[in-house]
């Protein structure tokens, strides 16, 4: 047995030795006409320039932190004319190592093929370990060089950060094509950065045929979009959404807006490989369900029809619990909002009328794009024929979460609507900042009327359907919502919280849920979205 193993070992060793000898002979034959110690005059002082980044700008959050998620490509370039100048006498060991490394990455790699070609040959599927080894070999092998190339990691293509980064790949295309919106935010960014110069690396070729003296070129005048996002909050919230506690929820969206300025601080969702639900991407938006009752109240106050002493009777025709009638009895509008009574608000909606409610929706920015992103949904306006019973409780119409943050902004801002924005301005590579115009604002309510609704929303969290949104020591108000969608129920919580003497508006959306939770209850705003609201506030407070 030992003799057989020894014999096999000798045979294998002999084969390997023969292969190396053949390789050396092959290199020697290939190079018999290229014994020069130095490069011909035509190659002296040559330079190579390579683009080192997929995009020619950075994307910053509000604090100036670069938020582009980049992946590295490791690239080897062989300049064939220079490579032919390698002398087998001087480079035997290096060429053998080079061939071995390249074959480990490209099994079909052949030195015969290389020297019979012309120009530059690119190999861009190297791993990091091979790249480092090849980098060392550039000192002993002529005509090769390596560099890193930064490309956008589009694994989570629907992250808002990536949506505003991947636009650069369309730079050479007609931005006004049918796939683009003429006045989209992407187009505006692209037009601003169109004059940016590529980030490059330059390498000098010396008279011996080796590439050296790397220099990098990043133009100081290149403009970089600065967003309103808080990347630290973004990451904390993504961690929350991926907790085991929410493992049975396929997707969750969270949008947070600084109420007084309309600046979007967070747009994050659990599954960012799927179309961004916060902007209603590639769709029509979502039915808001009972969070639309806040719009009813704003409309009622503006029309002087909010009578908080009036009594409404709920017989359970429109109010259900786990699929069964759930009458609330006699209650006023404060109590109706606290328990989210559909029948009381359908009666309120009937008294307001279709035109008044739709007019208020327009003032609050519903049924129109907010951030003006190419794939953002505008929503769907309710048709009068749908009936006020449905419209008043947020059915028969579609909105997006980012639209609904502005509704809460209006309540918190003493009745002033401020359109949410995500682009702060542009910063060049010398740190000079160019700010944009402030977003539009409209007076919708007087401050006293806004305070009435704000206190009602606080009562919903303290004593009503939103109790699971509570966070100790934090002022919170909000409204729960459950809407019948096309492929399941859409679960909402729309609210505000106060932190560091600032108010923030936040919306939670859990789309397309079917079935019941672990307690056997139907998924709803109070038992599903409100707890997420609480966990998010806890994570960032």
């Amino acid at each position: 047995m030992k003799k057989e193993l020894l014999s096999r070992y000798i045979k294998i060793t002999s084969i390997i030795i023969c292969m190396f000898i053949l390789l050396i002979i092959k290199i020697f034959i290939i190079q018999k006409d290229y014994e020069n110690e130095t490069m011909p005059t035509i190659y002296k002082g040559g330079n190579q320039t390579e683009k080192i980044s997929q995009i020619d700008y950075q994307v910053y959050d509000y604090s100036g932190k670069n938020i582009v998620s980049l992946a590295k490509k490791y690239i080897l370039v062989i300049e064939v004319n220079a490579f032919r100048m390698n002398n087998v006498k001087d480079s035997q060991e290096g060429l053998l190592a080079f061939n071995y490394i390249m074959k480990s990455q490209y099994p079909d790699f052949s030195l015969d093929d290389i020297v019979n070609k012309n120009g530059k040959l690119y190999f861009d599927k190297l791993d990091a370990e091979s790249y480092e080894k090849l980098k060392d070999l550039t000192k002993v092998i002529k005509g090769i060089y390596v560099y890193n190339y930064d490309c956008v990691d589009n694994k989570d293509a629907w992250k808002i950060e990536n949506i505003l980064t991947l636009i650069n790949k369309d730079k050479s295309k007609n931005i006004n094509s049918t796939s683009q919106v003429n006045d989209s935010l992407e187009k505006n960014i692209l037009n601003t950065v169109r004059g940016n110069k590529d980030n490059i690396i330059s390498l000098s070729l010396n008279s011996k045929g080796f590439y050296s003296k790397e220099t990098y070129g990043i133009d100081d005048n290149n403009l970089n979009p600065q967003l309103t996002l808080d990347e630290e909050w973004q990451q904390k919230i993504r961690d929350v959404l991926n907790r085991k506690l929410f493992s049975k929820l396929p997707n969750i969206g969270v949008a947070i807006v600084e109420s007084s300025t309309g600046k979007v601080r967070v747009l994050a969702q659990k599954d960012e490989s799927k179309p961004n639900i916060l902007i209603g991407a590639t769709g029509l938006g979502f039915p808001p369900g009972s969070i639309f009752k806040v719009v009813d109240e704003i409309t009622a106050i503006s029309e002087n029809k909010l009578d908080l002493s009036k009594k409404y009777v709920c017989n359970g025709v429109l109010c259900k619990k786990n699929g069964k009638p759930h009458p609330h009895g006699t209650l006023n509008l404060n109590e109706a909002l606290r328990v989210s009574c559909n029948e009381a608000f359908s009666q309120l909606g009937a008294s307001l009328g279709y035109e008044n409610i739709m007019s208020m929706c327009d003032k609050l920015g519903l049924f129109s794009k907010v951030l003006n992103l190419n794939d953002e949904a505008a929503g769907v306006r309710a048709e009068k024929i749908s009936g006020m019973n449905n419209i008043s409780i947020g059915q028969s119409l579609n909105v997006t979460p980012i639209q609904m943050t502005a509704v809460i902004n209006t309540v918190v801002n003493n009745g002033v609507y401020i359109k949410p924005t995500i682009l702060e301005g542009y910063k060049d590579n010398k740190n000079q900042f160019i700010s944009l115009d402030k977003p539009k604002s409209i007076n919708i309510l007087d401050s006293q009327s806004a305070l009435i609704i704000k206190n009602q929303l606080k009562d919903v969290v303290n004593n009503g359907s939103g109790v699971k949104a509570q966070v100790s020591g934090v002022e919170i108000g909000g409204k729960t919502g459950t809407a019948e969608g096309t492929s399941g129920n859409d679960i909402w919580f729309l609210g505000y919280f106060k932190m560091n003497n600032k108010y923030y508006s936040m919306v939670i959306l859990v789309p397309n849920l079917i079935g019941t939770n672990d307690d056997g209850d139907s998924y709803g705003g109070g038992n599903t979205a409100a707890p997420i609201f609480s966990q998010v506030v806890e994570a960032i407070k």
Side-chain angles (χ1 to χ4, degrees):
M1 184 67 176
K2 289 183 179 179
K3 287 182 179 181
E4 289 180 8
L5 289 172
L6 180 61
S7 175
R8 186 179 299 173
Y9 175 78
I10 292 171
K11 287 179 181 178
I12 293 171
T13 304
S14 299
I15 291 170
I16 293 172
I17 292 171
C18 288
M19 288 174 66
F20 275 110
I21 292 171
L22 287 171
L23 179 60
I24 292 169
I25 293 171
K26 187 181 293 185
I27 294 170
F28 182 79
I29 292 171
I30 290 168
Q31 295 205 332
K32 65 182 179 180
D33 295 326
Y34 301 96
E35 293 290 342
N36 305 37
E37 289 290 339
T38 61
M39 298 292 291
T41 304
I42 192 172
Y43 296 118
K44 287 184 179 179
N47 290 306
Q48 298 290 352
T49 298
E50 303 289 353
K51 184 177 175 180
I52 57 173
S53 180
Q54 180 183 352
I55 57 173
D56 51 27
Y57 60 91
Q58 307 293 325
V59 179
Y60 299 115
D61 79 345
Y62 86 103
S63 68
K65 178 183 178 182
N66 182 13
I67 60 176
V68 180
S69 180
L70 295 173
K72 284 196 179 298
K73 272 190 176 182
Y74 301 99
I75 300 174
L76 165 81
V77 182
I78 301 176
E79 205 292 306
V80 176
N81 289 331
F83 184 77
R84 290 196 187 108
M85 304 310 296
N86 286 296
N87 189 310
V88 71
K89 296 175 184 176
D90 301 331
S91 310
Q92 175 181 317
E93 186 177 338
L95 287 168
L96 287 171
F98 178 70
N99 187 71
Y100 176 79
I101 294 167
M102 291 304 294
K103 274 193 171 295
S104 72
Q105 303 291 289
Y106 295 85
D108 295 331
F109 182 83
S110 167
L111 288 173
D112 282 340
D113 292 341
I114 297 300
V115 296
N116 286 318
K117 293 181 178 179
N118 291 298
K120 292 194 291 186
L121 306 177
Y122 289 81
F123 300 86
D124 62 357
K125 293 181 173 60
L126 302 172
D127 60 34
E129 183 180 359
S130 297
Y131 172 83
E132 292 299 328
K133 291 177 180 177
L134 290 168
K135 189 174 183 180
D136 290 336
L137 289 176
T138 60
K139 301 170 185 175
V140 296
I141 297 179
K142 300 173 183 179
I144 68 170
Y145 58 91
V146 294
Y147 65 95
N148 291 329
Y149 179 83
D150 291 330
C151 51
V152 179
D153 185 359
N154 59 3
K155 179 185 67 174
D156 294 324
W158 285 100
K159 288 172 68 171
I160 188 62
E161 298 92 329
N162 284 352
I163 291 174
L164 295 176
T165 301
L166 292 170
I167 56 173
N168 206 49
K169 68 182 180 182
D170 294 322
K171 196 169 185 177
S172 62
K173 298 179 182 178
N174 180 8
I175 197 70
N176 293 321
S177 68
T178 55
S179 65
Q180 300 287 339
V181 176
N182 287 348
D183 61 348
S184 70
L185 180 60
E186 290 97 325
K187 181 193 172 184
N188 290 333
I189 291 175
L190 188 56
N191 284 341
T192 302
V193 304
R194 195 181 292 279
N196 284 4
K197 295 180 180 178
D198 289 335
N199 300 329
I200 60 171
I201 182 173
S202 297
L203 303 100
S204 300
L205 185 68
N206 64 27
S207 61
K208 296 288 186 180
F210 297 106
Y211 283 99
S212 59
K213 296 182 180 179
E214 298 178 356
T215 56
Y216 291 88
I218 300 175
D219 196 278
D220 282 345
N221 295 314
N222 281 3
L223 293 174
N224 310 285
Q226 182 160 338
L227 307 182
T228 60
L229 295 175
D230 184 326
E231 190 63 11
E232 183 180 354
W233 280 17
Q234 289 269 94
Q235 295 307 322
K236 285 182 178 181
I237 289 168
R238 285 174 177 136
D239 290 342
V240 169
L241 301 185
N242 284 285
R243 288 175 181 171
K244 187 177 179 181
L245 178 65
F246 306 124
S247 61
K248 291 185 178 181
L249 305 179
N251 207 0
I252 308 168
V254 179
I256 300 178
V257 176
E258 190 175 278
S259 303
S260 62
T261 63
K263 293 179 180 181
V264 178
R265 296 307 188 197
V266 172
L267 277 180
Q269 68 182 39
K270 181 179 179 180
D271 186 352
E272 287 173 311
S273 68
K274 299 288 176 62
N276 194 302
I277 59 177
L278 297 159
I279 60 171
T282 72
L284 301 173
F286 304 88
S290 289
I291 64 170
F292 191 76
K293 292 168 184 172
V294 180
V295 177
D296 294 336
E297 290 222 341
I298 292 174
T299 307
I301 287 182
S302 70
E303 295 296 319
N304 294 315
K305 292 184 178 180
L306 186 69
D307 184 352
L308 296 180
S309 64
K310 182 178 178 179
K311 298 294 184 179
Y312 298 87
V313 177
C314 171
N315 295 314
V317 176
L318 298 178
C319 294
K320 310 286 183 183
K321 185 174 182 179
N322 293 329
K324 298 178 182 179
H326 185 68
H328 291 111
T330 301
L331 66 179
N332 62 32
L333 208 56
N334 280 337
E335 295 165 333
L337 191 69
R338 186 187 305 152
V339 298
S340 197
C341 176
N342 288 336
E343 292 190 23
F345 275 88
S346 70
Q347 294 170 49
L348 175 64
S351 71
L352 295 172
Y354 172 84
E355 285 76 14
N356 285 331
I357 290 181
M358 289 300 106
S359 175
M360 182 55 68
C361 286
D362 291 334
K363 292 177 183 177
L364 293 170
L366 304 183
F367 316 134
S368 299
K369 290 191 175 190
V370 175
L371 302 179
N372 229 20
L373 291 163
N374 187 53
D375 291 309
E376 182 181 357
V380 178
R381 181 186 298 272
E383 295 183 4
K384 191 171 184 178
I385 195 173
S386 299
M388 296 311 298
N389 277 358
N390 289 319
I391 295 171
S392 303
I393 59 174
Q395 296 290 161
S396 305
L397 62 132
N398 282 14
V399 297
T400 66
I402 192 63
Q403 289 172 347
M404 293 306 294
T405 60
V407 174
I408 285 293
N409 278 355
T410 303
V411 173
V412 175
N413 287 333
N414 297 317
V416 178
Y417 165 87
I418 298 179
K419 186 178 183 179
T421 56
I422 196 168
L423 181 62
E424 187 98 55
Y426 295 90
K427 186 166 66 172
D428 64 22
N429 290 333
K430 295 177 291 188
N431 238 16
Q432 301 295 313
F433 184 70
I434 304 169
S435 62
L436 300 181
D437 295 336
K438 291 183 179 180
K440 74 172 185 177
S441 60
I442 303 172
N443 286 312
I444 303 288
L445 301 173
D446 62 74
S447 59
Q448 191 60 38
S449 297
L451 182 61
I452 291 172
I453 300 176
K454 181 181 173 185
N455 286 334
Q456 283 182 303
L457 297 174
K458 194 183 299 185
D459 184 48
V460 170
V461 172
N462 290 337
N463 305 297
S465 62
V467 291
K468 291 187 176 180
Q470 292 178 5
V471 175
S472 178
V474 180
E475 179 186 337
I476 292 175
K479 182 70 192 76
T480 57
T482 305
E484 295 179 4
T486 55
S487 54
N489 287 342
D490 299 315
I491 311 303
W492 297 81
F493 190 89
L494 176 67
Y496 68 85
F497 63 95
K498 188 177 184 181
M499 187 177 296
N500 298 325
N501 292 318
K502 281 187 179 181
Y503 281 104
Y504 296 90
S505 305
M506 175 160 58
V507 62
I508 308 290
L509 171 62
V510 188
N512 305 324
L513 281 185
I514 300 172
T516 59
N517 61 19
D518 291 340
D519 295 327
D521 294 326
S522 299
Y523 289 113
N527 62 23
T528 305
I532 299 170
F533 188 102
S534 173
Q535 296 258 335
V536 166
V537 175
E538 284 280 9
I540 63 177
K541 80 171 185 177

